[in-house]
Amino acid sequence: MPTSFGTVGTGSAAHLCGLYFAQKTGLHLQYVPYRGAGPAMQDLIGGQIDLSCLEASSGLAYVQAAKFKAFAVFSEQRWPKSPETPTMLESGIPGATITFWHALWTTKGTPKETVDRLDAAVISALANPAVQQRLETLGQVMFPRDQQGPAALAAYHKAEIDKWWPIIKAAGIKAE
């Protein structure tokens, strides 16, 4: 019987996480799409599904209350808010890392001066200790300063497409 894997919907980050996990482990997962994280978490707690990929911040309270167990985090280092939870690498799954990231986008043709001003504002905000603390609380990992500009974002974005596109294509996920 396949392991059931709850997602917050087809094509979601949780779904892609499950596909990636299955690819790295060789497990056959039975995908169970939900309409949001709440119902998926309820069924995980209730034992109706076996696994789910959740954002660290949304699952932490349930782990701390022993409602379910955190198997591992997909980051390269342990999450400071749950230091007892190993990484996938520590759990014996080589290469299984996922970075949860955000970016600020603007339209093609935006003047360079405007891009430079936006970049400076983002860099300044990310240097603020209060912003860094909030992002850490949410399970975000800060990219080093040399990876926080438009050129670095473009390179990272391309690498992410190169990583995820074959997984999306193999799963037959289509834009809706």
Side-chain angles (χ1 to χ4, degrees), residues 21-162:
F21 179 72
Q23 178 189 69
K24 291 294 183 183
T25 61
L27 287 174
H28 175 69
L29 300 178
Q30 176 64 49
Y31 293 99
V32 182
Y34 287 87
R35 299 189 108 187
M41 276 199 257
Q42 287 175 338
D43 278 2
L44 184 61
I45 291 166
Q48 286 81 23
I49 57 173
D50 300 311
L51 297 170
S52 187
C53 270
L54 304 169
E55 289 181 30
S57 60
S58 65
L60 182 60
Y62 296 99
V63 170
Q64 291 173 333
K67 298 288 185 183
F68 54 73
K69 180 179 177 4
F71 173 72
V73 294
F74 278 92
S75 56
E76 291 182 8
Q77 295 88 29
R78 290 185 181 210
W79 186 35
K81 297 292 181 187
S82 185
E84 67 285 350
T85 305
T87 67
M88 286 290 196
L89 303 172
E90 292 171 322
S91 298
I93 306 169
T97 58
I98 298 174
T99 302
F100 184 65
W101 59 280
H102 298 280
L104 180 63
W105 305 95
T106 187
T107 58
K108 183 177 180 177
T110 298
K112 183 177 180 340
E113 313 79 58
T114 303
V115 171
D116 290 345
R117 280 198 333 266
L118 289 169
D119 183 43
V122 169
I123 298 300
S124 175
L126 291 175
N128 181 315
V131 171
Q132 292 176 357
Q133 177 62 38
R134 179 66 180 141
L135 291 173
E136 181 182 305
T137 299
L138 294 171
Q140 302 285 309
V141 176
M142 292 288 294
F143 283 88
R145 172 61 189 96
D146 65 335
Q147 295 175 26
Q148 295 179 4
L153 172 61
Y156 187 79
H157 188 233
K158 182 184 180 326
E160 286 288 275
I161 290 169
D162 292 346

